[in-house]
Structures are given as C-alpha cells and as structure tokens.
C-alpha cells in the first residue's frame, strides 16, 4: 500500500489483525499510533511526516518476529528506548530524520541479527561506541548528520562485514584508524564535514572501495607520494568511482597518479592548495564525467576534457592561454562549464555551442573573471537549454547577439564589466524565466522597454554605470519579486513611478530566499562604500537610483517597501519634502539622499530607525532644527551628513536655532542648551530695553532740566551726550539683527 494517500488515522480494527506479517504503509500521510501486531515481520511506515511513532510504548511488548522496522521521516522526538531489545530478530532498522535525541542505548548493540542501521539526520549525541563491533552481521551503518563526537574507535575494524560506513556531518575528531585497511569488503566510506586529522593513504584502502568522501576535514594529510610506475607494481588496482577530497588540506603537485583510477566517474579536489599543472592524461579516463578542481593554485593551459564530460569546473585557479577549439568540442555537450576566475585570454570558442539551434545538455556556462576578448559568439544562443550565462569581468566588445534570445530558459545573465554596447534590455525581455540580470559597467545605451516589466520572476536587476536614458517605465512595478534595483550612474530622467510600493519582493519576507546561482559578481553601493556581492544568500534588498537626472517628489509609497535595507537616490534633482513614510522602513541600514533639491524639515520620525548605520542628506535645501535621538545623533558626529543645507541648525552644526520650538524636531537632551540660549536672549533684551529707557529719561528729563535752568552753555554738551547714546543704541540693534 506504499504511496497511497490515506490522510487518516490508523483504524482501531487493525489491532485485530494479529496474524499480519507484513505491513507497509509508507508515503501515505497516515496519522495516529502503530497498533501492536505480535506476528509482524516487516513494518514500513516511513515518510509519513505527521505520524508520531511512540517507540517506548511500542516496545513495552515483545515483537518476537519483527525483522524490518522502517520509520524514517516520521516523528519520534525522543531517544531510542532500551526496550528496542524486545525485537531480538531485528535485521533492518531505518530511522533517519526522526528527530531522535539523546544517546544510543547499550541494548542496541545486543541486536546480533542487525545488518542494516540508518540513523542519519537526527540529533543523536555521545561517542561512537566500541560495541558496534558486536554487530558482526552489520554491513550498512549510517550515522551521518548527527552530533557524534570523539574519535572513530579501532574496534570498528573488527567488523569485517562493513560495506557502507557513513559518518559525515558530525563532530568526530582524531585520526582515521590505520586498521581500516582490513575492511576489504568496504565499498563506501564517508567521513566528510568533521574535524578528522592525520594521514590518510588513499591507495592503501580496499580495492573494492568505490566511494571515498573526506571533504571539509581541513587537518588531513593525504598521502599521494608515488608515481605511476610505482603504482602499477606496489598497489592493487582500485575501483574508485567517486573520490571527494575537497577542502581537506590537500597540497603539493596535482597527483598524476589519479590517471590510473580508470573507473573514476567523479573527482573533487576543490578548495585545496594543489599546484602545478593539470595532467593531460585525465582526458584518457573514459568514465570520468565530473571534475571539480576549483580554488587551487594550478597554472598552465586548460587541459583537454575527457570524452563524455558532464561537469567541468576549473574555476578560480591561475590557468592561462586560450580556450582551444578542441577543448570547446569536448565541452560541446557538457551540462556545466566553469573556467571563471583564471587568466584566460583570446576569444570564446564557437565550438562550445552547435552551429544550428538544438537542445544540447549545456545549461551552465561561466567564463567570467578572465581576460577574454572579442565578441560573444553568435551561436551561443543555439545552446537552447542554457539557463546560466556568466561572461562578466572580461574585455568583450560588440553587441549581445540577437541569437541569444533562442535560449529561452535563461534564468541568470551576467555580462557586467565589459566593453559591450547596444541595448540588450530588449533582448532580455524575451527571457520569461529570467531572475538575475547584471549588465553593469558597459557602454549600453537607449531606454528600458516597457516589456521588461513582463519578467515576473526577475529578482536582481543591475544596469549600473551605462548610458541608459529615458524614464523608468511605470511597468517596472509589475516586477513583483524584485529584491535589488540598481540603475545608478546612467542618464535616466523623469519621475519615479508612484506605485513603487507594490514591489512585493521588497515587502514580503518569503521572497528573500537563497537562490542557487553559485558565485555572482554584483557590485553594489551600500552603507557608503562599493562592495562586491559574491553570494546571494538572503542578501538584503537595495534600491540605488543615484547619479541620474530624476526629478519630482520622492513617492510616499516608498515607505511600503518594509524589507528595504539600502536606499540611494543621491545626485539627482528630487524636490519637495522627505516623505515621513521613510520612517516605516524599520530595517533600513543606509539612506543616501545627498545632492538633490529636497526642502522642508528633516522628519523627526527618522530617529526611530535604530537599524540606520549610514545617513547622508547633504547638499539639499533642508531647513529647521536637525532631529535628535540617542542613535540618530551618532550617525554624523562631524555634521557631514547635513552640510550644504544652509537653513539647517542645531546639533551637530554650530548654528543655534531660534524660535523653532514648534517644529516638533526637539529632543529631550538639548533642553538645557535651549533654555540657556533663551536666558541669554532674555538678558540681551533686558539690556536693550534698559538702554532705551535710559535714553528716554536722559533725553526728555535732561532737556526739561536744561530748559528749566535756562543755561544755554549746557545745551551743546547735552546734545553731544544725546547723540553719543543714540549711536550706541543704533549700533546695538544692528548687531542684534545681524546675529539673528
């Protein structure tokens, strides 16, 4: 009954089926608890994600005939009980991804008939117990993706039945026991993603070994010290098909001895410290389909790939020279080709794709980060299954060929940092599945077509540093999944679309997901500096429209883009007020509005954005008191964020605000300063009034007194003193006006 969608609980009547021997109900969305069936020999309820398997309750009773128990991808949420021994004939136990916790009970090592044990993908703790050697019939053991620690016990070598041994993704330390060479039946040994150290002699392992995975053990020392002549006489023939040694401190010259692994299907020696050249004899391995040697220090030319190659990844080395026509022919039908991050020169060989449109296997081409020149081959669009094309950071010239539109499955197009011209946005509008478009730093020109708004899957758009012009089409609001818009350093003009708040990708968290694009080369200005994004793992969202000719008001709807982390509208001609709604961008980290024509007050509500790390409002026409806030005050202690706004006052500028209490921009901390200023003003006003009164008294009553005495010889001194006082009063008033 496997795969039947029941979507119900176990019927209570099932407990009456006391003679039932085989019960298989996997992938059936069953719920409830497993009934006790004493004659059961095989029980498979795996992949029922809502089924809670209560093992302690289940094994309170004897299961004398149970041999197969498969409960993978159900819910356990507790340790395996010691009562598991109540199934003494158990041969096969599969309990992966059950949220098993705690350590393994000692009773599990008493299941002498056990041959198959899969406990991967749980949260089991403790050490790998030496008592595993008691399980003499055990040929399959998978303890991967748990929390086991300590070293691999030497007693594991005593179990000569082992064929599959998976210990990867744990916290295992120590060395691989040298006695593991005794396991002559071992076919698969995986200990990746641990902290294993010491020597591992590859060619002393079992000749039956087909898979060896030691990736991401950075303290290993792989022993490859022999040559081909010694190999044939001193070492047995290995049947290795899958050799994974990435990120395990593999150093020295690229081993030519790999060429004797004649059954090799996949080779991964990426992210190591290999030097020298890649031996040409690898091309003779007729079964070799996937090669990963990325991120080493290899030099020399690109070697000829083996026939039938599927994945050819030599990226991020120091390979030089041209990609030959012959190499292109061998890669003609490869699904993934990556030679990025090398020092390759010359042109892109036309032999990578067919001469007529056809559905080849090629889905991924990455030649970025080299010194390639010439034009993009016109037949590159004839690889009609192409989904990713990365040609950025080269010296390519000319136009993007129209034939590229035949590759309608393109999701990722990266042509940045070349010398390309024309207007490929019309061409890009043909790619209905497009998610990532990077055309930055070229010589492209022309306007953005309205049809670009039909790319409903587009998430990352960078047209930075080109000569694009015209207005930003309002149809851009239909790009509901956009997370990054970078149109900076172009010649765009006109207003921003008022309905920009409809960009759902900048509003809803579920759209901020990791996209499996591999390495990217996305130059983004954020927090005031240029950075290069190489991974898009939950990359925070950005709008950068700086250095254009855009004008009009900043739409208040921009405050609806609640996931926006960086907003750069600098070096344009925006006018009007800064919208209060920007304060609704609670996750905003960088706000740059410098060099526009913005006026009015700085919204006090900006002080509520605690995530803000970079602020630049300089060179506008803003006025009034600069808002204060505990965090906001720290954003520009030197005042540079506010320079070029002559009508701004208050901290951190040296201009003292007058009569600005009703602007709603004051902050509690400067009350003392404001009160002190008010007291100084009051004192100055008092002195002014006192002088005026004194002048009146002296002028009026002095004149009256002189006339009363009729002393004409006093008149001249009297009028001279009046003139002196009047001049002093006039100068005082003028000085006060200048200060205001």
């Amino acid at each position: 009954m496997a795969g039947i969608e029941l979507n119900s609980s176990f019927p209570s009547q099932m407990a009456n089926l006391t003679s039932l021997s085989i019960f298989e109900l996997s992938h059936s969305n069953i719920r409830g608890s497993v009934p006790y069936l004493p004659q059961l020999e095989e029980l498979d309820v795996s992949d029922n994600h809502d089924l809670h398997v209560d093992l302690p309750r289940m094994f309170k009773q004897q299961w004398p005939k149970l041999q197969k128990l498969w409960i993978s991808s159900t819910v356990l949420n507790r340790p395996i009980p010691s009562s598991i021994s109540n199934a003494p004939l158990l041969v096969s136990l599969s309990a992966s991804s059950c949220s098993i916790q705690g350590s393994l009970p000692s009773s599990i090592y008493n299941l002498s008939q056990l041959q198959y044990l899969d406990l991967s993908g749980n949260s089991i703790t403790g050490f790998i117990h030496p008592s595993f050697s008691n399980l003499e019939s055990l040929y399959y053991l998978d303890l991967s993706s748990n929390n086991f620690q300590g070293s691999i016990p030497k007693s594991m070598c005593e179990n000569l039945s082992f064929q599959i041994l998976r210990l990867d993704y744990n916290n295992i330390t120590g060395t691989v026991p040298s006695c593991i060479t005794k396991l002559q039946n071992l076919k698969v040994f995986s200990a990746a993603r641990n902290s294993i150290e010491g020597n591992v002699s590859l060619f002393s392992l079992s000749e039956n070994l087909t898979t060896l995975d030691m990736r991401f053990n950075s303290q290993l020392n792989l022993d490859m010290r022999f040559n081909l002549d010694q190999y044939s006489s001193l070492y047995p023939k290995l049947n290795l098909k899958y050799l994974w040694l990435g990120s395990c401190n593999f150093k020295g010259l690229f081993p030519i001895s790999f060429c004797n692994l004649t059954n090799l299907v996949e080779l991964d020696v990426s992210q190591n410290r290999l030097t020298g050249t890649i031996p040409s004899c690898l091309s003779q391995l007729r079964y070799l389909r996937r090669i990963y040697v990325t991120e080493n220090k290899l030099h020399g030319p690109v070697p000829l790939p083996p026939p039938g190659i599927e994945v050819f990844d030599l990226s991020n080395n120091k390979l030089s020279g041209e990609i030959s026509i012959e190499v292109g022919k061998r890669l003609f039908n490869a699904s993934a080709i990556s030679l990025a991050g090398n020092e390759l020169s010359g042109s892109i060989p036309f032999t990578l794709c067919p001469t007529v449109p056809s559905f080849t296997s090629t889905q991924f081409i990455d030649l970025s980060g080299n010194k390639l020149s010439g034009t993009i081959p016109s037949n590159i669009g004839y690889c009609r299954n192409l989904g990713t094309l990365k040609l950025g950071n080269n010296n390519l010239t000319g136009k993007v060929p129209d034939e590229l539109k035949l590759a309608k499955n393109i999701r990722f197009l990266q042509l940045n940092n070349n010398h390309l011209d024309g207007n490929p946005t019309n061409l890009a509008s043909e790619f209905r599945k497009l998610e990532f478009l990077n055309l930055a730093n070229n010589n492209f020109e022309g306007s953005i077509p309205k049809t670009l708004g039909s790319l409903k899957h587009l998430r990352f758009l960078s047209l930075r540093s080109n000569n694009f012009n015209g207005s930003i089409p309002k149809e851009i609001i239909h790009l509901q999944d956009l997370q990054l818009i970078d149109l900076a350093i172009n010649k765009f003009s006109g207003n921003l679309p008022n309905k920009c708040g409809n960009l759902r990708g900048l509003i809803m968290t579920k759209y901020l997901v990791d996209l499996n694009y591999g390495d990217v080369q996305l130059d983004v200005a954020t927090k005031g500096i240029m950075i290069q994004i190489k991974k898009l793992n939950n990359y925070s969202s950005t709008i950068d429209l700086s250095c254009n000719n855009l004008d009009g008001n900043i739409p208040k709807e921009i405050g609806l883009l609640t996931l926006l982390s960086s907003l750069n509208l600098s070096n344009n001609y925006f006018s009007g007020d800064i919208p209060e709604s920007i304060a609704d961008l609670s996750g905003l980290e960088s706000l740059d509005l410098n060099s526009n024509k913005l006026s009015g007050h700085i919204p006090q509500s900006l002080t509520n954005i605690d995530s803000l790390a970079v602020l630049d409002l300089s060179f506008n026409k803003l006025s009034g008191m600069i808002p204060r806030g505990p965090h906001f005050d720290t954003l520009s202690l030197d005042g540079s964020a506010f320079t070029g706004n002559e009508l701004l006052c208050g901290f951190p500028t040296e201009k003292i605000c007058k009569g600005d209490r009703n602007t709603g921009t004051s902050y509690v901390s400067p009350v003392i300063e404001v009160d002190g200023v008010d007291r100084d003003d009051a004192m100055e006003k008092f002195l002014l009034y006192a002088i005026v009164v004194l002048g009146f008294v002296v002028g009026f009553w002095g004149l009256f007194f002189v006339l009363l005495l009729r002393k004409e010889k006093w008149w001249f001194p009297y009028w001279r003193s009046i003139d002196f006082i009047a001049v002093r009063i006039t100068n005082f008033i003028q000085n006060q006006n200048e200060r205001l």
Side-chain angles (χ1 to χ4, degrees):
M1 297 179 66
I4 298 177
E5 190 74 19
L6 296 178
N7 196 26
S8 63
S9 300
F10 281 101
S12 57
Q13 295 85 350
M14 288 194 66
N16 299 327
L17 302 176
T18 55
S19 300
L20 191 65
S21 60
I22 298 176
F23 179 44
E24 184 173 342
L25 209 60
S26 61
H27 297 89
S28 301
N29 203 22
I30 195 74
R31 300 188 301 274
S33 58
V34 179
Y36 177 56
L37 301 169
Q39 301 300 313
L40 206 62
E41 297 177 8
E42 298 182 10
L43 174 61
D44 183 359
V45 290
S46 56
D47 293 288
N48 289 292
H49 300 282
D50 294 324
L51 177 62
H52 289 256
V53 179
D54 191 347
L55 286 185
R57 179 182 177 184
M58 178 178 172
F59 284 106
K60 281 183 178 180
Q61 297 168 295
Q62 294 286 332
W63 294 73
K65 296 186 178 182
L66 188 63
Q67 298 180 31
K68 176 182 176 180
L69 176 60
W70 284 17
I71 56 173
S72 293
S73 298
T74 61
V75 181
L76 185 56
N77 275 337
R78 59 181 65 190
I80 294 177
S82 58
S83 57
I84 190 76
S85 58
N86 283 337
L89 298 183
L90 201 60
V91 172
S92 178
L93 173 59
S94 178
S96 63
S97 303
C98 292
S99 301
I100 298 173
Q101 302 171 356
S103 58
L104 295 178
S106 58
S107 59
I108 201 171
Y109 308 114
N110 297 326
L111 299 174
S112 59
Q113 305 298 313
L114 201 61
Q115 299 178 20
Y116 183 101
L117 180 59
D118 183 359
L119 300 175
S120 61
N122 287 291
S123 301
I124 303 173
T125 58
F127 298 91
I128 299 176
H129 203 279
S131 297
F132 269 111
S133 61
N134 296 344
L135 306 175
E136 296 180 356
S137 300
L138 192 65
Y139 74 88
Y140 186 104
L141 177 61
D142 191 346
L143 302 178
S144 61
S145 299
N146 279 285
N147 295 316
F148 286 104
Q149 55 186 315
S151 59
I152 302 173
K154 293 182 179 179
S155 61
M156 299 284 280
C157 303
E158 299 173 12
N159 190 337
L160 301 181
S161 299
F162 273 133
Q163 297 181 27
I164 311 293
L165 182 55
R166 298 184 184 277
L167 307 174
D168 45 303
Y169 289 83
N170 279 285
N171 299 311
I172 298 172
T173 56
T175 62
V176 177
S178 58
C179 63
I180 201 170
T181 57
K182 296 179 181 179
L183 302 178
Q184 292 301 306
N185 293 316
L186 194 62
K187 296 180 180 179
V188 175
F189 180 64
S190 176
R193 290 275 184 184
N194 284 288
S195 299
I196 297 173
E197 57 189 20
N199 295 327
V200 173
S201 180
L202 176 64
F203 289 90
S204 63
L205 297 174
S206 164
E207 64 180 273
N208 292 316
L209 195 69
T210 61
T211 301
L212 177 63
D213 188 358
M214 298 299 297
R215 288 173 293 182
F216 301 102
N217 285 285
S218 60
Q219 300 302 315
L220 277 181
N221 183 17
L222 294 169
D223 186 5
M224 304 294 296
R225 294 172 295 178
F226 56 90
N227 58 40
L228 285 174
D229 295 333
Q230 292 174 322
Y231 171 81
S232 57
S233 59
L234 297 180
Y235 294 91
K237 183 177 180 179
L238 291 179
N239 291 308
L240 270 173
K241 295 181 179 179
Y242 303 94
L243 181 57
W244 296 319
L245 303 174
S247 299
C248 59
N249 197 33
F250 198 178
K251 53 190 174 182
L253 295 175
F254 194 104
I256 195 173
S257 51
F258 284 162
C259 294
N260 264 331
L261 300 176
T262 54
N263 293 312
L264 202 60
V265 174
E266 184 168 324
L267 174 64
D268 181 1
V269 290
S270 58
Q271 297 178 327
N272 282 293
R273 291 187 286 170
L274 293 174
T275 58
T277 60
I278 301 173
S280 59
C281 56
L282 283 182
S283 64
Q284 301 171 13
L285 299 179
R286 58 178 180 169
Y287 299 116
L288 189 56
R289 295 292 180 266
R290 293 176 289 279
I291 300 176
Y292 303 91
V293 298
T294 181
E295 294 186 46
N296 281 280
K297 299 178 180 180
L298 300 165
H299 62 269
V302 177
L304 191 66
I309 191 73
E310 296 173 1
V311 177
F312 193 63
D313 188 352
L314 312 185
S315 60
N316 297 308
N317 282 282
K318 297 180 180 180
L319 303 178
S320 58
E322 298 187 2
I323 307 172
S324 68
I325 299 295
E326 290 75 17
V327 167
K329 288 180 179 179
R330 285 286 181 97
L331 295 175
F332 175 78
N333 216 26
S335 60
I337 304 163
S338 182
L339 299 173
N342 283 286
E343 298 173 4
L344 301 174
S345 57
S347 58
I348 300 172
F350 70 92
T351 49
L352 286 176
C353 289
T355 55
V356 293
S358 60
F359 289 98
T360 63
S361 299
T362 306
Q363 300 177 25
F364 184 100
I365 297 178
D366 187 357
L367 305 178
S368 58
N370 282 286
K371 301 175 182 178
L372 299 172
S373 57
T375 59
I376 300 174
S378 59
N379 66 324
I380 202 162
Y382 294 169
C383 289
R384 298 188 65 174
N385 278 331
L386 193 62
T388 295
L389 179 60
K390 301 181 181 181
L391 303 177
N393 285 284
N394 280 290
N395 297 315
L396 300 174
T397 57
K399 293 179 170 55
V400 180
D402 288 339
E403 289 83 354
L404 187 60
K405 66 183 179 183
L406 297 175
K408 296 187 179 299
N409 291 320
I410 285 186
R411 296 170 55 242
F412 188 109
L413 181 58
Q414 181 169 283
L415 304 176
N416 60 295
N417 294 83
N418 281 287
H419 306 290
L420 300 167
D421 53 40
N423 187 354
T425 56
N426 292 297
L427 177 64
S429 300
E430 301 279 341
F431 305 135
R432 300 302 180 186
K433 298 181 181 180
L434 194 64
E435 298 178 9
F436 184 104
L437 178 61
N438 187 358
L439 305 177
N441 295 293
N442 278 285
N443 299 317
F444 295 130
E445 58 187 3
S447 59
I448 299 178
K450 296 179 180 180
T451 51
L452 196 70
S454 63
L455 302 180
K456 61 180 181 180
H457 300 294
L458 193 62
R459 298 187 179 188
F460 294 86
L461 172 63
S462 178
L463 307 181
R464 183 182 190 87
S465 191
N466 280 286
N467 295 310
F468 288 111
N469 54 42
S471 61
I472 299 175
K474 62 181 181 181
E475 286 76 12
I476 202 169
I477 65 172
H478 300 311
L479 302 178
Q480 294 287 285
D481 289 351
L482 267 181
Q483 295 174 215
L484 181 143
I485 312 170
D486 190 350
L487 309 182
I489 318 178
N490 279 284
K491 299 177 181 178
F492 291 113
S493 58
N495 299 344
L496 289 184
N498 287 327
K499 295 184 179 180
C500 60
N502 292 337
L503 296 172
R504 186 173 53 178
L506 299 176
I507 300 173
M508 301 178 67
T509 305
K510 70 177 182 178
Y511 285 91
L512 283 173
V513 297
D514 177 19
L515 300 174
N516 187 23
Y517 294 140
D519 289 343
V520 301
Q521 297 167 349
L522 191 61
D523 295 321
V524 177
T526 181
K527 298 183 180 179
I529 58 173
M530 286 295 299
I531 60 173
Q532 186 176 80
I533 304 298
K534 293 187 177 181
K535 297 289 184 182
L536 294 178
N537 299 348
N538 291 320
Y539 176 69
S540 52
S541 53
T542 295
I543 293 179
D544 190 347
L545 307 178
S546 60
C547 300
N548 280 287
N549 299 315
L550 300 170
D551 54 24
N553 294 334
I554 300 174
K556 63 180 181 180
E557 289 84 0
I558 207 162
L560 298 174
L561 307 178
T562 52
L563 294 182
L564 196 60
S565 65
S566 179
L567 176 61
N568 190 346
L569 304 179
S570 65
N571 291 280
N572 280 287
Y573 298 95
F574 289 111
S575 57
D577 295 340
I578 299 174
E580 290 274 356
S581 61
I582 287 183
D584 295 332
L585 305 177
S586 56
L588 196 64
E589 298 176 5
S590 178
L591 176 62
D592 191 348
L593 304 178
N594 87 81
S595 301
N596 280 285
K597 296 182 178 181
L598 298 170
S599 58
H601 292 295
I602 300 173
Q604 172 69 26
S605 54
L606 288 183
T607 63
N608 298 326
I609 308 178
D610 292 334
S611 58
L612 201 59
V614 173
L615 175 69
D616 193 348
L617 306 178
S618 62
F619 300 102
N620 280 285
K621 298 180 179 180
L622 301 171
S623 60
M625 181 181 286
I626 297 172
R628 302 293 305 274
H631 173 68
F632 193 82
D633 284 354
T634 66
L635 297 179
S636 183
L637 295 174
D638 62 354
S640 59
F642 309 105
T643 57
N645 292 279
E646 299 301 325
L647 299 179
L648 283 179
C649 60
F651 179 85
T653 70
E654 297 180 356
K655 294 183 179 180
I656 299 174
C657 297
K658 299 271 186 181
D660 203 21
R661 288 195 172 199
N662 60 349
T663 61
T665 57
S666 60
Y667 165 56
V668 175
S669 64
V671 167
I672 296 175
E673 177 187 345
V674 172
D675 288 345
V677 172
D678 288 346
R679 285 195 295 270
D680 291 342
D681 288 345
M683 180 61 69
E684 291 172 357
K685 290 178 180 179
F686 175 79
L687 291 174
L688 175 63
Y689 296 147
I691 291 172
V692 171
V693 171
L694 178 61
F696 175 78
V697 171
V698 173
F700 179 80
W701 292 107
L703 177 62
F704 178 80
F705 182 75
V706 170
L707 293 175
L708 182 64
L709 296 177
R710 296 183 180 179
K711 298 288 187 178
E712 295 181 0
K713 64 179 179 178
W714 290 3
W715 286 15
F716 180 78
Y718 166 76
W719 289 114
R720 187 171 59 183
S721 63
I722 292 297
D723 184 67
F724 174 79
I725 293 173
V727 170
R728 291 293 303 271
I729 293 174
T730 302
N731 290 339
F732 182 84
I733 294 174
Q734 288 178 346
N735 289 336
Q736 292 302 310
N737 288 335
E738 289 176 358
R739 292 184 62 184
L740 292 174

